[in-house]
Amino acid sequence: MEGAKETSSELSQTPQTTTMMIPDAGDERETRTAKGLSQFSQTLQTITASSAPETSVKVADDKLPERVQWVLNAPEPPGLWSRLQNGISETLENMFRCLEQHRMSRTLESIFPILSWGKLYNKKLFRNDFLAGLTLASLCIPQSIGYATLAKLHPQYGLYTSVVPPLLYAILGTSREIAIGPVAVVSLLLSSMIQKLEDPAENPVSYTGLVITVTFFAGVFQAAFGVFRLGFLVDFLSHAAIVGFMAGAAIMIGLQQLKGLLGITNFTNKTDIISVIKSVWRSVHNSWNPFNFILGCSFLSFILITKFLGQRKKKLFWLSTVAPLISVILSTLIVFLTRADKHGVKIVKHIKSGLNPISIHQLQFTGEHTAEAAKIGLVVAIVALTEALAVGRSFASVKGYHLDGNKEMVAMGVMNIAGSLTSCYVATGSFSRTAVNFSAGCETVVSNIVMAVTVIISLELFTRLLYFTPIAILASIILSALPGLIDLNEAYNIWKLDKLDFFACVGAFFGVLFASVEIGLLVAVGMSFAKILLSTIQTGTETLGRIPGTDIFVDINQYPVAVEIPGVLVTRTKSALLCFANANVIKERIMQVATRKQEVDAKENADGRIQLVVFDMSNLMNIDTTALSSLEELHKNLAEKDIEFAITNPRWQVIHKLRMANIVKNIGRRVFLTVGEAIDACLIAKMA
Amino acid sequence: MEGAKETSSELSQTPQTTTMMIPDAGDERETRTAKGLSQFSQTLQTITASSAPETSVKVADDKLPERVQWVLNAPEPPGLWSRLQNGISETLENMFRCLEQHRMSRTLESIFPILSWGKLYNKKLFRNDFLAGLTLASLCIPQSIGYATLAKLHPQYGLYTSVVPPLLYAILGTSREIAIGPVAVVSLLLSSMIQKLEDPAENPVSYTGLVITVTFFAGVFQAAFGVFRLGFLVDFLSHAAIVGFMAGAAIMIGLQQLKGLLGITNFTNKTDIISVIKSVWRSVHNSWNPFNFILGCSFLSFILITKFLGQRKKKLFWLSTVAPLISVILSTLIVFLTRADKHGVKIVKHIKSGLNPISIHQLQFTGEHTAEAAKIGLVVAIVALTEALAVGRSFASVKGYHLDGNKEMVAMGVMNIAGSLTSCYVATGSFSRTAVNFSAGCETVVSNIVMAVTVIISLELFTRLLYFTPIAILASIILSALPGLIDLNEAYNIWKLDKLDFFACVGAFFGVLFASVEIGLLVAVGMSFAKILLSTIQTGTETLGRIPGTDIFVDINQYPVAVEIPGVLVTRTKSALLCFANANVIKERIMQVATRKQEVDAKENADGRIQLVVFDMSNLMNIDTTALSSLEELHKNLAEKDIEFAITNPRWQVIHKLRMANIVKNIGRRVFLTVGEAIDACLIAKMA
């Protein structure tokens, strides 16, 4: 046993015997041990104890080959402060580049894109946009009312939100197909998070005020992201996580529509699937009126059937887009004529008519919930931006133009800020409505203007017609839009491509279903980052071999043609970071492989044992203090077994730290540019 | 403006015009858009839509050079399931290797190292160990009582903890210098976390039972880590974070000793610095007896002076080690003779004599706090292991032998489990006591046995003598051990080597001071991992140039000799992961650099514009679905500007995914082994 052998040979040593690390046994020993010297300290103390670190001294040793001198004499990489300064100045430079390069008129055009394409507008384009706008409006009026109810607001707020934001987006935005308005997921997110602060049933006025305040904060955050080019924050929701999150949210929204479909009065406020199913079960057993359900289901079937037919035959596409409006009209007539509301069918009742009232007085900047509202605003801002950018980018790529993400974010931000001042809540682009817009033949964002104008006319003249509209119809219209949010095909593709990505997807899905929407989102973000972390702290190593006839060393598993060099172990870490989380295990793994190969080779060939370990650092991003210590230990342990150690191709930050910690000196300056050089130099030195 | 130009050229296109991505305009368009096709879906759908992915088809195109074939025909890397299986079988293999390779007696020796070195024991070793053990005991008796009070337990529990754990460690452990017993940081951690569940003042019995239950769980976790070789979990506290955490904990412990030094009765239970200082202020102004303070301070000065002298002169070392014992004896005499306890000096009073009582009945496995206790046990297990392994490893490296981390963990676990059954709380190795042990000349772990026996004798015979020991003395003994925990030198070294590491250190320090010990620990771990995350999602790119006379391409900033190739941009990401968090920004950055260089080169030289972008992927660990999509976009955007695109040296997982997503095909199979080949091939093709 290793321990026993060492014990027997060292037990005879007196405590005064020291290794080469501690110069003077007596006093030094007490001094250092009294301070509790750790292994790291030994490494790090050499920085202050020895002469100035090598970074200030150019290595001009003629005995060292030229290439090694290049490696060792690399200039000092920028420190943390200068990198921060660079980052900030780059951002400012980007921000002001458009002002520097463009003339004033072009600047106005870049801020208000409508001025640029507006010049080229003509009648034909307007005809297509007009038709698309009407189609949009026919879908959007019932949907907006339904989404407002989902957000636990009065129905007219949905209509307000389809007026002001689209108009502002038309002036500032660059996507040509996107359809702006309230969306299902954001409405659910708002109600789910804000009802924890204020109960919408007990305090509807302050609840509404909070929603509007959150909208204001969301707009501010979105505009700030655009102005300061913080768009990358939106990227923090990985695609797989979004797929899972959307699917979960769609199911939650669908379950909440059961309230409307079944005509339930008392419904749980909780958003997890167990509570909702319990609530439905209770209501169904207590008091249930079948008329809501019949009405809702029949028109839901109608809408779904027309959708299906529209996908099959192009000509019937028009039918599928007006189906929601037809359902609303027909069902309102039915209820009006039969006075079904007296038989238990729940109806919308009074929708306040007239345009958007100013809502500045409803903003709550000094209440107790303001900090919470800001936090919710940030979350909603990111989710809304994610959806809008995804929609905008995918349709832009279909049409073949480039969408400027930062401009879009500024447009979204301004439209939500303005919306919060005019009784709107958070609006963004929705997939289903944009798809309808696109298929209806929209050319530019004027279709949104047409839609907004139509909604204005409806608000002024037609709200009374919606008195008898059954809530079940709104529920069925929302339900018909949900299958688009659940993309099973996508989930399958993710499973095929990357299993860990799939787990993030599934985690987000179940998080939304069984906990809450916010927790589902948190799980989505958390799993996305956990995946990054796991791949960075992995502890695998790869063995490299030479491609015959070349000087190129590659992974022998990836390239079966590669051949290992007998007597040499060329190794590389799978991870790109040698840090506290994996340095120790990697060190032990390399030792294991080197000594195991030693045993194997020794059995086959007396001279076949490993004589040299070459550590290829070409893929290492960085190395921390713990890893520096592990490297020194590795060198020491290998030396005890009479195995040489060399490092090749370290990158900038890595070579800088290796020199700062004097590891280069301690391993005898065996740092080379290529693996071939390292092998030649070390084996030649060994034979000499 | 780019947008305007595109708009004018495309506004004339009817909606039916499509890009090359969508085969049939009409039906396909409605189908795909109706499903809300996202950009990612377009990429991913090609997997299922097109023929079988390329991984199953070997590329045997003779037109492709041999090397490119090697790159493209790499065998399929192991999937997630097979990697999991490998990991588990490797762990099991490691676990049973000692049973396979060694005979039964050697297996017993490996489990009980005492059997191996016990054979070689002799009188001389015993003499040194005996002296070291007595020295240890003289320090450890007052310290243990003080630490037990820190853990808010009755004093005798500290003495119990210095009996059973050291004895068990001597049988199972492999470190020869470590001194086992209660330690300050763990005692603080225990009291800080457990007092939230039970108040030690109101329910001392159930509080003690909880402490013992936590000890049991900690032991179980530690043993499990050792058996299942989960030692890497302990590595998750980076060195810098530990330095900060220890320093903060030392200051907190010091402040809590003010209670003993000043003789305060009512002390806050909170562990943050503001509450403690407030509590001290209040007590000092209300009722303060100066005798405690005078007694404590004078002996504290005495101990510190002897320590200082002992560091300077080797001969006076003995004085510094027995100083605590002398202080206890002298102060007890003083209080006994002057009956100072009647004048307000707080004394220890009655310490229950007799050996460790069995405490199985005190374990709470069915109470309300059991789950919490298990959680606390896990945290304490990791902190205790971290300290013990750090101590053991650093002294083992000084002496020159190798410590088996997993065996140590099993030894710690068993000793704590046994301790929990015999009224001990969590014991581990402490730096200060191990340093004393080492400097006192210990040879083997027998010094721990000697210490334990001495404590047993004291428990049986001498506890009555400690009746009049002032608490202020215990406080000063603890205070004298604290400077060893605050390593300013180390912190300075960390600052010099890695600024971000230093922030983790400082964050942990302030977390402990201003929030609580647990939060400080959480901040330590969190910042360590945040640092990893930040370096992995960084968005920088590096430009590579050729070293003259070679075929090697290196970072032009790191190697000033390297020369860029005119007309070619060879780029590499700083990060090793192309994922959702950075893919988009990196893509835009590469586009920016390629087009900016284009402008710069064009001004200088009409033919100097970039014609080729080579993306060197030799450092990329992995690539996710979002990044695959960004790569396709990059290729498309570059093609629009008439710039070629090539990829070089992808690693195993990366080339596999590139082929699965058909990106290799989409970029015209421009995947090469080296940058040189890529440049030659693409420029030749361009000229032809």
Side-chain angles (χ1 to χ4, degrees):
Chain A
M1 248 295 289
E2 193 185 311
K5 289 199 218 104
E6 282 181 292
T7 315
S8 57
S9 63
E10 289 189 308
L11 273 180
S12 48
Q13 291 176 0
T14 61
Q16 270 71 36
T17 312
T18 53
T19 65
M20 58 183 199
M21 290 285 266
I22 309 211
D24 184 66
D27 298 323
E28 280 280 355
R29 188 192 216 206
E30 274 95 35
T31 312
R32 288 191 191 206
T33 52
K35 281 189 70 59
L37 193 72
S38 76
Q39 201 164 332
F40 310 122
S41 309
Q42 290 174 18
T43 307
L44 297 179
Q45 275 213 359
T46 53
I47 298 175
T48 44
S50 62
S51 54
E54 288 187 23
T55 47
S56 57
V57 174
K58 288 285 173 224
V59 173
D61 195 341
D62 289 329
K63 297 183 207 143
L64 291 173
E66 195 186 17
R67 284 193 184 179
V68 177
Q69 290 187 38
W70 289 335
V71 177
L72 297 178
N73 289 335
E76 218 171 295
L80 186 65
W81 179 236
S82 51
R83 276 184 286 160
L84 271 175
Q85 282 177 319
N86 278 345
I88 292 174
S89 60
E90 226 180 70
T91 310
L92 291 173
E93 201 186 289
N94 279 340
M95 272 172 69
F96 294 117
R97 194 188 298 157
C98 59
L99 289 174
E100 284 168 16
Q101 286 181 357
H102 299 291
R103 292 188 324 264
M104 190 57 178
S105 65
R106 296 184 77 181
T107 304
L108 271 180
E109 271 180 28
S110 71
I111 298 176
F112 302 107
I114 194 174
L115 297 173
S116 54
W117 57 260
K119 301 178 203 165
L120 306 144
Y121 210 60
N122 61 43
K123 257 200 218 162
K124 179 164 182 245
L125 297 170
F126 181 68
R127 191 182 73 97
N128 290 334
D129 279 336
F130 183 75
L131 289 174
L134 286 184
T135 314
L136 256 189
S138 77
L139 173 61
C140 137
I141 291 174
Q143 260 194 356
S144 311
I145 298 174
Y147 290 155
T149 318
L150 189 59
K152 297 198 164 56
L153 296 166
H154 290 301
Q156 62 268 20
Y157 284 95
L159 294 173
Y160 297 157
T161 313
S162 299
V163 170
V164 171
L167 287 174
L168 273 159
Y169 182 84
I171 303 172
L172 296 167
T174 44
S175 169
R176 302 201 289 257
E177 296 79 25
I178 202 169
I180 300 290
V183 297
V185 173
V186 169
S187 308
L188 177 73
L189 197 56
L190 280 173
S191 76
S192 164
M193 293 180 93
I194 299 180
Q195 71 189 3
K196 295 193 174 121
L197 305 178
E198 291 278 358
D199 193 337
E202 293 176 22
N203 307 317
V205 174
S206 52
Y207 175 83
T208 310
L210 261 183
V211 173
I212 290 180
T213 313
V214 167
T215 307
F216 179 83
F217 281 121
V220 166
F221 280 121
Q222 289 175 339
F225 286 165
V227 166
F228 294 113
R229 286 177 140 67
L230 294 176
F232 65 89
L233 286 177
V234 174
D235 285 334
F236 278 7
L237 281 167
S238 78
H239 173 60
I242 290 174
V243 169
F245 173 75
M246 289 293 191
I251 292 186
M252 288 317 301
I253 294 167
L255 286 175
Q256 297 219 335
Q257 300 317 301
L258 287 180
K259 174 183 178 182
L261 258 194
L262 302 173
I264 301 169
T265 319
N266 294 326
F267 206 71
T268 178
N269 269 349
K270 292 191 189 165
T271 50
D272 65 285
I273 197 173
I274 315 275
S275 312
V276 169
I277 290 181
K278 274 191 198 167
S279 189
V280 169
W281 193 255
R282 258 198 319 265
S283 305
V284 163
H285 280 214
N286 289 350
S287 60
W288 186 43
N289 190 304
F291 294 132
N292 284 296
F293 189 67
I294 293 167
L295 209 56
C297 278
S298 36
F299 280 104
L300 175 61
S301 327
F302 169 60
I303 298 174
L304 288 177
I305 288 170
T306 55
K307 240 188 181 173
F308 180 70
L309 289 175
Q311 281 175 12
R312 293 276 155 166
K313 293 183 194 291
K314 183 171 164 254
K315 291 176 191 164
L316 293 174
F317 167 71
W318 292 104
L319 189 61
S320 71
T321 48
V322 301
L325 187 65
I326 293 175
S327 312
V328 170
I329 295 172
L330 278 182
S331 56
T332 313
L333 274 176
I334 289 173
V335 171
F336 176 61
L337 293 173
T338 62
R339 294 309 304 258
D341 57 314
K342 302 217 188 293
H343 296 107
V345 172
K346 299 255 177 298
I347 53 176
V348 171
K349 290 220 172 95
H350 181 70
I351 298 181
K352 195 157 174 267
S353 71
L355 274 187
N356 303 25
I358 301 293
S359 61
I360 300 181
H361 58 277
Q362 283 185 293
L363 291 169
Q364 299 175 9
F365 288 134
T366 52
E368 42 171 343
H369 298 302
T370 306
E372 276 295 309
K375 201 191 87 178
I376 298 173
L378 177 62
V379 174
V380 173
I382 292 181
V383 174
L385 277 180
T386 308
E387 194 165 357
L389 287 174
V391 173
R393 280 185 182 142
S394 68
F395 282 96
S397 95
V398 166
K399 275 278 188 75
Y401 65 95
H402 176 69
L403 204 67
D404 184 346
N406 292 308
K407 280 214 191 102
E408 286 299 291
M409 289 192 260
V410 172
M412 294 269 154
V414 171
M415 104 189 167
N416 277 316
I417 294 175
S420 69
L421 305 175
T422 50
S423 300
C424 309
Y425 71 98
V426 179
T428 185
S430 98
F431 258 128
S432 54
R433 267 196 305 232
T434 311
V436 166
N437 196 23
F438 182 67
S439 311
C442 75
E443 302 279 0
T444 70
V445 78
V446 167
S447 55
N448 277 278
I449 299 179
V450 171
M451 174 196 80
V453 167
T454 315
V455 175
I456 290 173
I457 295 172
S458 313
L459 270 173
E460 291 285 350
L461 305 175
F462 299 140
T463 51
R464 224 180 291 181
L465 296 179
L466 292 171
Y467 188 92
F468 285 103
T469 307
I471 291 189
I473 293 306
L474 302 178
S476 44
I477 291 176
I478 294 176
L479 278 168
S480 69
L482 292 180
L485 291 176
I486 305 177
D487 203 340
L488 289 173
N489 209 19
E490 189 73 11
Y492 177 64
N493 289 338
I494 294 173
W495 164 259
K496 282 186 73 169
L497 208 62
D498 195 329
K499 305 289 189 287
L500 282 181
D501 257 353
F502 183 76
F503 287 140
C505 179
V506 163
F509 179 70
F510 285 123
V512 171
L513 276 193
F514 289 101
S516 74
V517 188
E518 311 91 83
I519 293 195
L521 205 54
L522 214 66
V523 169
V525 175
M527 289 188 79
S528 305
F529 281 108
K531 185 172 167 252
I532 293 181
L533 212 56
L534 280 175
S535 59
T536 313
I537 62 174
Q538 57 181 322
T539 56
T541 54
E542 301 170 334
T543 309
L544 308 185
R546 192 202 297 259
I547 291 186
T550 72
D551 204 30
I552 307 171
F553 281 79
V554 288
D555 181 6
I556 55 175
N557 286 322
Q558 183 183 356
Y559 295 89
V561 292
V563 172
E564 289 186 65
I565 313 283
V568 179
L569 171 65
V570 187
T571 184
R572 178 176 72 191
T573 53
K574 280 201 163 82
S575 159
L577 204 61
L578 208 56
C579 65
F580 63 92
N582 59 7
N584 213 23
V585 184
I586 286 179
K587 174 199 80 175
E588 294 190 0
R589 197 182 281 260
I590 294 179
M591 278 305 296
Q592 232 180 39
V593 176
T595 43
R596 202 189 317 162
K597 277 173 73 59
Q598 222 177 10
E599 290 168 18
V600 166
D601 284 344
K603 285 182 204 154
E604 293 174 356
N605 178 2
D607 292 320
R609 71 176 195 93
I610 296 286
Q611 305 188 19
L612 166 66
V613 169
V614 180
F615 195 149
D616 183 28
M617 292 195 168
S618 47
N619 65 322
L620 280 188
M621 284 188 290
N622 211 334
I623 188 171
D624 77 349
T625 45
T626 312
L628 288 167
S629 194
S630 297
L631 263 185
E632 284 236 56
E633 260 193 71
L634 178 63
H635 166 64
K636 210 169 70 149
N637 294 346
L638 287 173
E640 280 168 13
K641 296 202 181 297
D642 202 26
I643 303 176
E644 306 275 329
F645 181 64
I647 291 174
T648 58
N649 205 6
R651 284 169 74 180
W652 209 6
Q653 290 283 349
V654 175
I655 185 63
H656 178 68
K657 290 212 175 124
L658 288 176
R659 292 175 62 201
M660 285 275 292
N662 280 333
I663 291 194
V664 173
K665 201 160 68 171
N666 288 345
I667 64 170
R669 295 232 177 88
R670 285 166 185 262
V671 180
F672 302 90
L673 190 51
T674 66
V675 177
E677 282 172 44
I679 293 178
D680 294 339
C682 295
L683 290 183
I684 286 174
K686 198 148 192 174
M687 284 190 281
Chain B
M1 248 294 287
E2 191 185 309
K5 292 200 216 103
E6 281 183 291
T7 315
S8 55
S9 61
E10 288 189 309
L11 272 179
S12 45
Q13 290 176 1
T14 60
Q16 269 71 37
T17 311
T18 53
T19 64
M20 56 183 201
M21 290 286 267
I22 309 211
D24 183 66
D27 298 326
E28 281 278 356
R29 188 192 217 206
E30 274 94 33
T31 313
R32 288 194 191 203
T33 53
K35 278 189 72 58
L37 193 72
S38 78
Q39 200 166 333
F40 310 121
S41 308
Q42 290 173 19
T43 306
L44 297 179
Q45 275 212 1
T46 54
I47 297 176
T48 43
S50 64
S51 56
E54 288 187 24
T55 46
S56 56
V57 174
K58 287 286 172 222
V59 173
D61 195 342
D62 289 329
K63 295 183 207 141
L64 291 174
E66 194 186 19
R67 283 193 186 179
V68 176
Q69 292 187 38
W70 287 337
V71 176
L72 296 178
N73 290 336
E76 219 172 292
L80 185 65
W81 179 236
S82 50
R83 274 185 287 161
L84 270 175
Q85 281 177 319
N86 276 345
I88 292 174
S89 61
E90 224 179 74
T91 310
L92 290 172
E93 201 185 288
N94 278 341
M95 272 172 67
F96 292 117
R97 195 188 298 156
C98 61
L99 289 174
E100 284 168 19
Q101 289 181 355
H102 301 290
R103 292 187 324 264
M104 193 54 178
S105 65
R106 295 185 77 178
T107 305
L108 272 179
E109 269 179 31
S110 71
I111 297 176
F112 302 106
I114 195 173
L115 295 174
S116 55
W117 57 259
K119 300 180 204 166
L120 305 144
Y121 210 62
N122 62 42
K123 257 200 217 166
K124 179 166 182 241
L125 298 170
F126 181 69
R127 189 183 75 98
N128 290 333
D129 279 334
F130 183 74
L131 288 175
L134 286 184
T135 315
L136 255 189
S138 76
L139 173 62
C140 138
I141 291 174
Q143 261 194 355
S144 311
I145 298 173
Y147 290 156
T149 319
L150 189 61
K152 296 197 166 57
L153 295 166
H154 290 300
Q156 62 268 20
Y157 284 95
L159 294 173
Y160 296 156
T161 312
S162 299
V163 171
V164 172
L167 287 175
L168 273 159
Y169 181 83
I171 303 171
L172 295 169
T174 43
S175 168
R176 303 200 290 255
E177 295 80 26
I178 202 169
I180 300 291
V183 297
V185 174
V186 169
S187 308
L188 177 74
L189 197 56
L190 280 173
S191 75
S192 165
M193 295 179 90
I194 299 180
Q195 70 189 5
K196 294 189 176 125
L197 306 178
E198 292 277 1
D199 193 337
E202 292 175 26
N203 307 318
V205 174
S206 53
Y207 176 82
T208 310
L210 261 182
V211 174
I212 290 181
T213 313
V214 167
T215 307
F216 179 82
F217 280 122
V220 166
F221 280 121
Q222 289 175 338
F225 287 167
V227 166
F228 295 113
R229 284 178 140 68
L230 295 176
F232 64 89
L233 286 177
V234 173
D235 286 332
F236 278 7
L237 281 168
S238 78
H239 172 60
I242 291 175
V243 169
F245 174 75
M246 289 292 190
I251 291 185
M252 288 317 300
I253 295 168
L255 287 174
Q256 298 220 334
Q257 300 318 301
L258 288 179
K259 173 184 179 183
L261 259 192
L262 302 173
I264 301 168
T265 319
N266 293 326
F267 206 70
T268 177
N269 269 349
K270 294 191 187 166
T271 49
D272 64 284
I273 196 173
I274 314 278
S275 313
V276 169
I277 291 181
K278 275 192 197 163
S279 190
V280 169
W281 193 256
R282 256 197 321 265
S283 304
V284 163
H285 279 214
N286 288 351
S287 61
W288 185 45
N289 190 304
F291 293 131
N292 284 295
F293 190 68
I294 294 168
L295 211 54
C297 279
S298 36
F299 280 104
L300 175 61
S301 326
F302 168 60
I303 298 174
L304 288 176
I305 290 172
T306 55
K307 238 188 183 170
F308 180 70
L309 290 174
Q311 281 175 13
R312 294 275 156 169
K313 293 183 194 293
K314 183 173 163 256
K315 290 178 194 161
L316 294 173
F317 166 72
W318 293 103
L319 188 61
S320 71
T321 48
V322 300
L325 187 64
I326 293 176
S327 312
V328 170
I329 296 172
L330 277 181
S331 56
T332 312
L333 275 176
I334 290 172
V335 171
F336 176 60
L337 293 172
T338 64
R339 292 313 304 257
D341 56 315
K342 301 216 186 295
H343 297 106
V345 172
K346 298 255 179 293
I347 53 176
V348 170
K349 290 220 175 95
H350 181 70
I351 299 181
K352 192 158 174 274
S353 72
L355 273 186
N356 305 23
I358 301 294
S359 60
I360 299 180
H361 57 278
Q362 283 185 293
L363 292 168
Q364 300 176 8
F365 288 133
T366 52
E368 42 171 342
H369 298 302
T370 307
E372 275 296 310
K375 200 191 89 179
I376 297 174
L378 178 61
V379 174
V380 173
I382 292 181
V383 174
L385 276 181
T386 307
E387 194 166 355
L389 287 174
V391 173
R393 280 186 181 139
S394 69
F395 281 95
S397 94
V398 166
K399 275 278 188 76
Y401 65 95
H402 176 68
L403 204 66
D404 184 345
N406 293 309
K407 282 215 190 99
E408 285 300 290
M409 289 192 259
V410 172
M412 294 270 154
V414 171
M415 106 189 165
N416 278 316
I417 293 175
S420 69
L421 304 174
T422 52
S423 300
C424 310
Y425 71 100
V426 180
T428 185
S430 98
F431 257 128
S432 55
R433 267 198 305 233
T434 310
V436 167
N437 196 22
F438 182 66
S439 311
C442 76
E443 303 279 0
T444 70
V445 79
V446 168
S447 56
N448 278 280
I449 299 180
V450 172
M451 174 196 79
V453 168
T454 314
V455 176
I456 290 174
I457 297 173
S458 313
L459 270 172
E460 291 286 350
L461 305 175
F462 299 140
T463 51
R464 222 179 292 181
L465 297 178
L466 293 170
Y467 188 90
F468 286 103
T469 306
I471 291 189
I473 295 305
L474 302 180
S476 43
I477 291 177
I478 294 176
L479 277 168
S480 69
L482 293 179
L485 291 176
I486 305 177
D487 204 340
L488 289 174
N489 210 21
E490 191 71 11
Y492 176 64
N493 289 338
I494 293 172
W495 164 260
K496 283 186 73 170
L497 208 61
D498 196 330
K499 307 285 190 288
L500 281 180
D501 257 354
F502 183 75
F503 287 139
C505 179
V506 163
F509 179 70
F510 285 124
V512 171
L513 277 192
F514 290 101
S516 73
V517 188
E518 309 93 83
I519 293 197
L521 205 55
L522 214 66
V523 169
V525 175
M527 290 188 79
S528 306
F529 281 108
K531 185 174 168 251
I532 294 182
L533 213 57
L534 281 176
S535 59
T536 313
I537 62 173
Q538 59 181 321
T539 55
T541 53
E542 301 169 336
T543 308
L544 308 184
R546 191 203 299 260
I547 291 187
T550 71
D551 204 29
I552 305 171
F553 280 79
V554 287
D555 180 7
I556 56 175
N557 286 322
Q558 184 182 356
Y559 295 89
V561 293
V563 172
E564 290 186 64
I565 313 283
V568 179
L569 170 66
V570 186
T571 186
R572 177 175 73 189
T573 52
K574 280 203 163 82
S575 162
L577 204 60
L578 209 55
C579 66
F580 62 94
N582 59 8
N584 213 22
V585 183
I586 287 178
K587 175 200 80 178
E588 293 190 0
R589 196 182 281 260
I590 294 179
M591 278 305 296
Q592 232 179 42
V593 176
T595 44
R596 203 189 315 160
K597 279 174 72 60
Q598 223 176 9
E599 291 166 19
V600 166
D601 283 343
K603 284 183 206 155
E604 293 172 356
N605 178 3
D607 293 319
R609 71 175 196 91
I610 296 287
Q611 306 188 22
L612 166 65
V613 168
V614 178
F615 195 149
D616 183 27
M617 291 195 169
S618 47
N619 65 322
L620 280 188
M621 287 190 286
N622 212 333
I623 188 171
D624 76 352
T625 45
T626 312
L628 288 167
S629 194
S630 298
L631 263 186
E632 284 237 56
E633 261 193 70
L634 177 63
H635 166 65
K636 209 170 70 155
N637 294 347
L638 288 172
E640 281 168 11
K641 296 199 182 298
D642 203 24
I643 302 176
E644 306 276 330
F645 181 64
I647 290 174
T648 58
N649 206 4
R651 283 168 75 177
W652 210 5
Q653 289 284 347
V654 175
I655 185 63
H656 179 67
K657 290 210 175 128
L658 288 176
R659 293 173 62 201
M660 285 275 293
N662 279 332
I663 291 196
V664 171
K665 200 160 68 175
N666 289 343
I667 63 168
R669 296 231 177 89
R670 287 169 183 259
V671 180
F672 302 91
L673 191 50
T674 66
V675 177
E677 283 172 42
I679 294 178
D680 295 338
C682 294
L683 290 183
I684 287 174
K686 197 149 193 175
M687 284 191 280

